[in-house]
Amino acid sequence: MNIRIAIIGAGAMGADHARIVTEDMPGATLQVVCDSDAARAKSVADAFGAADSASDPEAVIARGDVDAVIVASPDFTHAPLSLACIRAGKKVLCEKPLSQSSAECLTVMVAEQAAGARFVQLGFMRRYDPSYAEMKQALADGSLGRALMMHNFHRNVETPAADFTGAMAITNSAPHEFDVVRHVLGCDYATISAAQPRRSDARVAPVVMVLETTDGQLVTIEINNNAAYGYDVRAELVGERGSIAMNPVAFTRRDTDLISATAYSSDWRGRYAEAYRRQNRAFLQFVRTGQFPEIGSDCWDGYCAAVVAEAGVTALSAGRKVAVDRITKPEFYA
Ligand code: ISE
């Protein structure tokens, strides 16, 4: 049976999900594209052959011809629309973050547990990127010894959206690292420190964070939303007996005029095309079988990202190390 998918949000991410549904998800049909801007919804729907376009997300979620939902609308809508999907009994792939508020993440967790089944897969797609998978495997096979540190750089050409605020380097961009480092190391965070170069006068200045994990490791994360030169994400996992580092990802290298050069993607859609493809296919299986994807991220992961982001914002403004406090993990999410 074909799975009829609605996409809510027709911006850059929603349009890319529409492309993935039509090009890379055999057995899925792009049924509806929804956006508060009806013209933008229709433009994306027409571009990717959706059966319909709409502008009321709650009505779309309730439609009888929609089997599953992908939420790619602005951050503040993620939790309310995930709750609407749970109420409608429909699986949802919700773009990260689940919410920038840990309290709001808890409301979605409570609703999902009350519903008695998993409905929400969160869009921390880095888990599906082959480089992090190889890092996790290197830890598992023992070749590195125990993990001591993990260093991360996450650089955009420029802030991804006009409404991006300084704190969103921590609450919107950094959740990718907060989540994938937890996934690779199999731990959580105990404390976080954060600082910015005072010299930067960018609207969203770079931020450097140092986190201590619950297993005594150190994690460093640099977020630079205005790196200018390219979309550049790096990571290196350092163990007691060795390290494993992410290579630059490019299919070709050009050697001309005494220069050897590879190109950067302009944003995440190129660099992580394979990760999104794998994530979205895992979501389709989730919809079909009800079995939550083995490496998928869930509401608990969304909550964990939100609590460390909130602590990071506090650490940045207070100029001191801040403890990362979490509730006890519900058995439901074990
Ligand atoms: C942005 O916040 C995202 O969520 C994208 O997935 C990420 O790749 C980008 O670098 C972030 O700024």
Side-chain angles (χ1 to χ4, degrees), residues 13 75 95-97 123 125-126 154-156 158-160 164 168-169 172-176 223 225 231 233 267-269 272 276:
M13 203 59 245
D75 289 7
E95 269 295 332
K96 41 61 64 186
M125 82 308 148
R126 297 268 189 94
H154 176 170
R155 296 173 176 165
N156 285 242
E158 58 184 357
T159 49
F164 222 75
M168 286 175 73
N172 182 284
S173 296
H176 278 299
I223 305 289
N225 292 111
Y231 185 74
V233 174
D267 67 29
W268 58 88
R269 291 168 292 184
Y272 287 113
Y276 279 106

Side-chain angles (χ1 to χ4, degrees), residues 109-121:
M109 288 166 61
V110 165
E112 194 172 39
Q113 292 172 79
R118 298 297 198 85
F119 286 94
V120 183
Q121 180 180 341

Side-chain angles (χ1 to χ4, degrees), residues 90-140:
K90 298 191 181 174
K91 308 290 192 213
V92 55
L93 174 60
C94 179
E95 269 295 332
K96 41 61 64 186
L98 177 60
S99 174
Q100 294 183 20
S101 155
S102 60
E104 192 175 38
C105 291
L106 288 176
T107 65
V108 185
M109 288 166 61
V110 165
E112 194 172 39
Q113 292 172 79
R118 298 297 198 85
F119 286 94
V120 183
Q121 180 180 341
L122 208 49
F124 283 125
M125 82 308 148
R126 297 268 189 94
R127 294 170 173 230
Y128 291 90
D129 182 64
S131 58
Y132 293 108
E134 289 184 19
M135 288 181 181
K136 192 166 175 67
Q137 183 52 46
L139 267 190

